[in-house]
Amino acid sequence: MKELFVLLKQGNKSAFLAAIVNTVIAIIKGVAYGFTGNVAMFAETLHSLGDAANQFFVFIGSALSKKAPTPRFPNGFGRLVNLVLLGAVLIVGIMSFETVKEGFHHIIHPTKSTGLLINLSVLLLSVILESFVLFKAAKEIAHETGINEKGVMLLIKSIGSLKRAKPATKLVFMEDTVATLGGILAIVSILLSHFTPFHQAEGIASVIIGLMMFIVVGRVFLDNAAGVLGESDEEMKQKIGDMIINDPDVKDIQDISVIKEGETLHVEVEIEVDPLITVAKADVIKDRLEEAIRQEKGVADVIVEFDEDDGIKQWTEKNETKENS
């Protein structure tokens, strides 16, 4: 039990905060839907409920993925967060289906809802809270990817750096982006339905919110399926390779792989060195390179192997091929 609490302290903080906020929002929206029967509010209730459950599982998964390797699982638990996220998207997928189904039902059989002030107050509060969590997730992405921006530019840069963010942070950012946009869309649809005869607006908003949730489900599923299989980080591979080749004792790089293990990176590199160096010299080179590679953000495990220099510059050829392609 003590180990579990230690691991939970290392869980993704953005996911934990988002889970708490979305639980509160889901309860408030559910109460509002019970009073008003508004279909857009129903969609938003399911959306927030799905997000809360999803992000709670993500927090648990991100924490357990940091468990130290055991004799039974010597490679560690890094990919556990990917497995948890694959399971979590099923929850959002079910909520998405129910949201779209209810929306189509309201489009075919439109009804005028009541409780305008209640609906608008609840949705406005939820948009404010979701925006707060969204900016927190954007700051987390900035911390993970080295962005130094503030305000609107922070959000813009975070979207561009989303691919390099940790799986849990990425999920929170995407879900709260959809949640914020969904809240705004629900507000617009309620106003249209109340002040015009276009009562189908709430059903259309519900369908759009459900489809946006499906987009998140698809993106998260594909990203984490790749993570479970073992996805290569090509950008970090290039960065580490360029750093290694500049070492004065490294003649060439025979092979290098940088594999994502959940929220961390596993690096294996085979370098070519002068065949006349001593074992002691090779050990110094190995320690120096391992220390330098571990300084890169996210790197948790490094293996350096040696081969004798064959006089063929493979790493340079790879770079030139990449630049010319």
Side-chain angles (χ1 to χ4, degrees):
M1 185 61 70
K2 182 179 179 181
E3 182 187 11
L4 177 62
F5 283 117
V6 172
L7 289 172
L8 289 177
K9 289 181 180 179
Q10 302 177 58
N12 188 279
K13 294 179 176 59
S14 294
F16 182 65
L17 175 63
I20 294 175
V21 171
N22 276 299
T23 299
V24 173
I25 292 174
I27 293 172
I28 296 173
K29 287 178 179 177
V31 172
Y33 169 69
F35 278 108
T36 66
N38 185 282
V39 68
M41 185 63 74
F42 172 79
E44 280 296 292
T45 301
L46 287 185
H47 188 180
S48 296
L49 189 62
D51 284 354
N54 206 2
Q55 289 155 354
F56 177 74
F57 282 119
V58 168
F59 168 70
I60 297 296
S62 67
L64 295 180
S65 69
K66 295 177 176 61
K67 180 178 172 62
T70 65
R72 184 179 179 184
F73 300 102
N75 291 327
F77 298 82
R79 298 185 191 183
L80 183 61
V81 65
N82 298 115
L83 289 172
V84 171
L85 284 168
L86 284 176
V89 296
L90 294 177
I91 298 173
V92 182
I94 293 170
M95 298 295 183
S96 303
F97 173 76
E98 291 296 328
T99 301
V100 172
K101 185 178 74 172
E102 188 65 24
F104 273 119
H105 177 75
H106 189 77
I107 293 173
I108 298 171
H109 305 288
T111 57
K112 185 176 181 179
S113 60
T114 58
L116 177 66
L117 291 179
I118 294 176
N119 287 326
L120 291 181
S121 298
V122 169
L123 287 173
L124 183 60
L125 175 63
S126 70
V127 167
I128 293 172
L129 292 175
E130 295 285 9
S131 298
F132 170 74
V133 176
L134 180 60
F135 268 96
K136 283 287 187 182
K139 288 182 178 179
E140 193 71 22
I141 292 175
H143 174 71
E144 293 170 3
T145 59
I147 299 174
N148 188 20
E149 298 287 350
K150 294 182 179 180
V152 178
M153 285 304 299
L154 174 64
L155 281 177
I156 296 174
K157 292 287 187 179
S158 296
I159 294 172
S161 302
L162 197 57
K163 187 176 180 180
R164 295 187 288 122
K166 294 179 180 179
T169 309
K170 187 188 302 184
L171 175 66
V172 172
F173 183 86
M174 288 193 296
E175 285 190 338
D176 281 286
T177 297
V178 171
T180 303
L181 294 175
I184 295 172
L185 182 62
I187 290 173
V188 172
S189 70
I190 288 172
L191 290 173
L192 280 174
S193 178
H194 184 81
F195 291 107
T196 73
F198 188 45
H199 302 313
Q200 293 91 341
E202 294 175 6
I204 293 172
S206 179
V207 171
I208 294 174
I209 291 170
L211 292 176
M212 288 194 297
M213 293 165 68
F214 269 124
I215 292 173
V216 172
V217 167
R219 176 66 186 274
V220 172
F221 176 82
L222 291 175
D223 285 351
N224 287 280
V228 170
L229 293 174
E231 183 180 15
S232 174
D233 190 327
E234 294 299 320
E235 184 177 343
M236 186 60 76
K237 175 181 176 180
Q238 187 69 38
K239 184 178 181 181
I240 293 175
D242 290 341
M243 176 187 68
I244 292 173
I245 202 67
N246 287 322
D247 187 282
D249 292 308
V250 175
K251 303 300 181 181
D252 194 16
I253 298 176
Q254 184 72 245
D255 189 28
I256 180 172
S257 68
V258 180
I259 304 298
K260 294 180 181 178
E261 297 278 356
E263 297 182 352
T264 59
L265 299 174
H266 172 77
V267 180
E268 292 188 23
V269 58
E270 183 178 356
I271 61 173
E272 294 182 3
V273 295
D274 187 339
L276 300 179
I277 65 171
T278 63
V279 174
K281 176 67 173 178
D283 193 50
V284 170
I285 298 171
K286 178 177 179 291
D287 291 342
R288 182 172 68 234
L289 290 178
E290 285 185 351
E291 183 179 357
I293 295 171
R294 288 181 186 277
Q295 297 304 312
E296 296 295 329
K297 187 178 291 293
V299 174
D301 187 24
V302 181
I303 297 176
V304 177
E305 298 177 347
F306 292 91
D307 196 1
E308 64 178 278
D309 183 20
D310 59 8
I312 302 174
K313 291 291 184 180
Q314 295 192 40
W315 183 254
T316 302
E317 289 173 1
K318 289 178 182 178
N319 288 345
E320 288 176 353
T321 302
K322 184 175 181 179
E323 290 171 1
N324 294 330
S325 60

